[in-house]
Amino acid sequence: MTSNNGSATTSPPKRPGRPRVRQATWILPKTGQRLKRQVTLGVSPGFEFSHSNGTVDEQAPLLGLRKVRQNPSDAPRLLLEVARRLSRSAWDFARSRTGLGVLKCSIAYFLGSLATFVPAIAAMLGQQDGKHMVATITVYFHPARSQGSMFEAMILAALAFAYAAFLGFTSMGVSVLFGRVFDLVAFGHAVVLIVFVGGGLGLVGWVKQRLGHPLVNISCSLTSLAIITVITKEGAVQAAMFSDDKISQVLKMIVMGVIATTAVSFLIYPVSARVDLRENLIAFTDSLSEVLSVTTQSFLVGSDDELKTPQYRAAMDKYKSLLASMEKNLTEAKYEHFVAGREREYWLEANLVTCMQRLSHNIGGLRNAATTQFQILAQPGMGLAAAGHPGTATAAESQAPDKRPLIFTSIDEESENGESESASDPALRSSASSILTPGDVFSEFILYLGPSIKSLAYTLKTTLDDLPFSAGPEYEITLNPKYRSSLEEAVKLYNHSREDALSKVYDYNKVNQERSVEVEADFEEIAASCGVFSYALQDFAVEMKSYLYVLDGLKLEIEERPKGRTWDWLKVWRRKRKAETDFEPLNSLDEEADEPRTVPTPWHRPIDSTDTQKLSRITALRYRIWKALAVFRRDDTKFAIKVGAGAALYALPSFLRSTRPVYQKFRGEWGLLSYMLVCSMTIGASNTTGFARFFGTCLGAVCAIVSWELSGENPYALAAFGWIMSLWTAYVIVALGKGPMGRFIMLTYNLSALYAYSVSVKDLDDDDDEGGISPIISEIAFHRVVAVLSGCLWGLIITRLIWPISARQKLKDGLSLLWLRMGLIWKRPPLECRVHGKTSDAYMDLAEESHLHRFLSQLEKLKDSAASEVSLRGPFPEKAYGRLLGGTAGMLDAFHLMNVMMLKESRVSGGEAAILASSTNERRQLSLRISHLFQVMASSIKLEYPLTDALPSIDHTRDRLLAKIFGFRKGDKAAVIASDKDFALLYTYALVTGQLGKAMKEMGSEMDSLFGSFNEDRLKLQ
């Protein structure tokens, strides 16, 4: 080959061929046979990892990439082709699950609108306003959901009505008591306003904010509508009289709406959460198999190229979404199982999902270990020349390039009849004895343990590919009885190979030479990453055995159901579930974790009980009162109080004779309902909801006017227009996921068009309002828009003026609090409890870990709300805070890895105790340094000040710990009392601290970019 200038160019040096590796025995899961042949950790067809750099494939036809000049005469043909493609896409969408869900929503709405258009049905609801509420209920509790979700919706609708009826009857009773008995009408109205309107609606706002569930939010909207209508609109409370007409009408409308939407959901293309859960489990095990294969293969070759491909990232996104989908479907499947009397089957499925979660955590451990390994090998002087990366070898490496085995390439196992070089080969033994760099330690590790890792991963992958269910609609459990015994045999082989490999890696004189602390730390860090990876793979296999055990129990329950169907959940007097006495759940997802020992809250004061005794009696009493009133200093309590206060003030005109006509004319009840819907915990969330509410109301009003004018008051035409409206708004709700927007549009349409029809057919007692029997649709729509606008503005005013809560500030305070809590966890050294014989809960129990994760998910929601807040300081840096939250999530994953390792083995062996005792000083210093960094980060984001340049680093402290472990391993005492297993926990500790240190550096740089650098203006004393 010659270059452009005519000079000959030398071809790149050939990469040396890779050596043969010892044969590895692997277990065939279906038969339990031991085989020796080539094993390939390939991915399934269609799951390819290739580098997409935008280049054109060499094999692609060039003519196919040319842009063909179109003839103008071909325009009709092209338009016809476009129309054909669009119609095909529309047909495919109509046949999809989402399209069928949209169709079901429109059918349910049509059935609900019959309560307005059919005289016989309308007569059942009496001569009162609000018959359009039946259609509105079908929009709110739409049928495009699973059967389990419909059961949950029915329960919540019943609770919403019961609460509204209770407030309605009691408010009437109080009004009658003070108005008729004590002749204190004004005082009775004040009590109703404060207690039932303010307190009742404030409690609704608190429940909505506290639970944060979509169906709960819808139920809160429904109960708010019923409460507001009964208390402020009907007039029975104002007249101090008792009437159950409106309450009975609301009950009938709720029953009609729920029956219509439930019938459509159950009879037309029904969706089962149990089936969805099984499909999730099938997809998740397939995804888990692929991720395990790619992660293991990347670790063995010492390269993260495949982990950086867009295909792998897309697979990881799907993997994470499947986890969230499984939890959702499991919750909905619970209702289906309980109604059908399959309680035990539900608990087994819950345990199956828990096993899946644990397997995903083990995958996280594998990825963490592999990532650490990639980072170490990427450093200069790590011996990467042996891996086929020229130009990075150290001087020592360049002097002896032929003495090191090339292990970083793919591992091939020879067939059983083929010849292979064993570890006893003199050449290999000679190369193994030349451990010059930390990278050589990894090479030796892969040389001996690589085939066993690959074989166990292949056995696990093959097992996952066959599990857990067959294709639908049967979804039979495909569990081979040989799987469990095969997996146990594979784990035994792997454990034996791992112990043998690790003993040989450290059985060389070159390793025990004297080196600097940094080099010894590098040696031990390589050993830690390899050790943690091998232990995580073993834990994955052990958890797979638990998974097979649960799957076996589920298969028995489904096929034989030995104890028949049970409805023990109806026996509320029984505190303990019968299912628990027969089968122990594995941390079921539906059981809320207990509160941690100490929950970090802003109102805690560092005052001990002994200090309180020393104070004067008055001061101590004041402190006890202050502590007892702590609940009123919580944000959710403040939110409930201000929501109730704002609702009472808005409803006040309905109780005053001078302002009640205006309240009725402009439909103040809908303004009050809009206020309840707009009020959110933070300013940003209120802005988002207020905009969606107002825009949806205006659009719905315009559509109502157009439909009314085009239909000419014809009920058939109005019903058809309503069905078309429900069709495209259902697309907005179901397909686009913009539920509030779609519901607001249909609510306003119902309030205008359906209400106008009820007035036109003299179906109301008050027919003179807004045009009488000849309704003026524009005036009706205008009144609704004015009411909604006033409610939205009032909600924004209350949110900003009374205890305003900024999502931006709350996010910063929350991050500061979370980091401070994480720092306090590390202030008590994680491994110290094992040295002193305490339980592992002294570090962090599972309840505390769950609480931290829930708090982080709340911060994610605050980030989304903060983006909607307007500030003169500029737009909210959403991406930067997203990276901070992502880094925090990664650190919590590292916390979990540490917690799992500590909880796995409660007893401390003599070797582990000796290792921990020898490294006490180094571990204590490292833990305190990490705790200190967390506190500095918390202070920095709290004060919005950049981190100083003189922050302490944990690198040197961590290097001293790793060198200490290396020194202990070289000592004579280690060979006597310490086994390879005894180093597992300390290796995990070293890996976790390394990840925390790296994450803190990245997050520190992110905060420097957010808050700038120090300058004199920030430090002025003024």
Side-chain angles (χ1 to χ4, degrees), residues 372-427:
T372 302
Q373 174 221 35
F374 301 147
Q375 294 170 357
I376 298 170
L377 296 180
Q379 297 174 6
M382 286 298 172
L384 287 182
H389 299 273
T392 59
T394 60
E397 293 167 332
S398 61
Q399 293 174 4
D402 55 339
K403 293 185 180 180
R404 292 177 309 277
L406 307 179
I407 308 301
F408 288 13
T409 53
S410 300
I411 297 175
D412 296 331
E413 286 79 50
E414 299 294 335
S415 62
E416 193 167 5
N417 296 327
E419 296 180 0
S420 63
E421 295 175 345
S422 67
S424 60
D425 188 284

Side-chain angles (χ1 to χ4, degrees), residues 614-629:
K614 299 177 182 179
L615 301 175
S616 64
R617 292 184 178 180
I618 297 178
T619 305
L621 178 62
R622 289 172 55 190
Y623 171 70
R624 283 195 292 269
I625 295 175
W626 178 86
K627 192 174 182 180
L629 297 177

Side-chain angles (χ1 to χ4, degrees), residues 433-455:
S433 63
S434 303
I435 306 297
L436 302 175
T437 67
D440 291 335
V441 175
F442 175 71
S443 298
E444 296 300 324
F445 180 88
I446 296 301
L447 171 65
Y448 290 106
L449 191 56
S452 299
I453 289 178
K454 197 171 186 181
S455 299

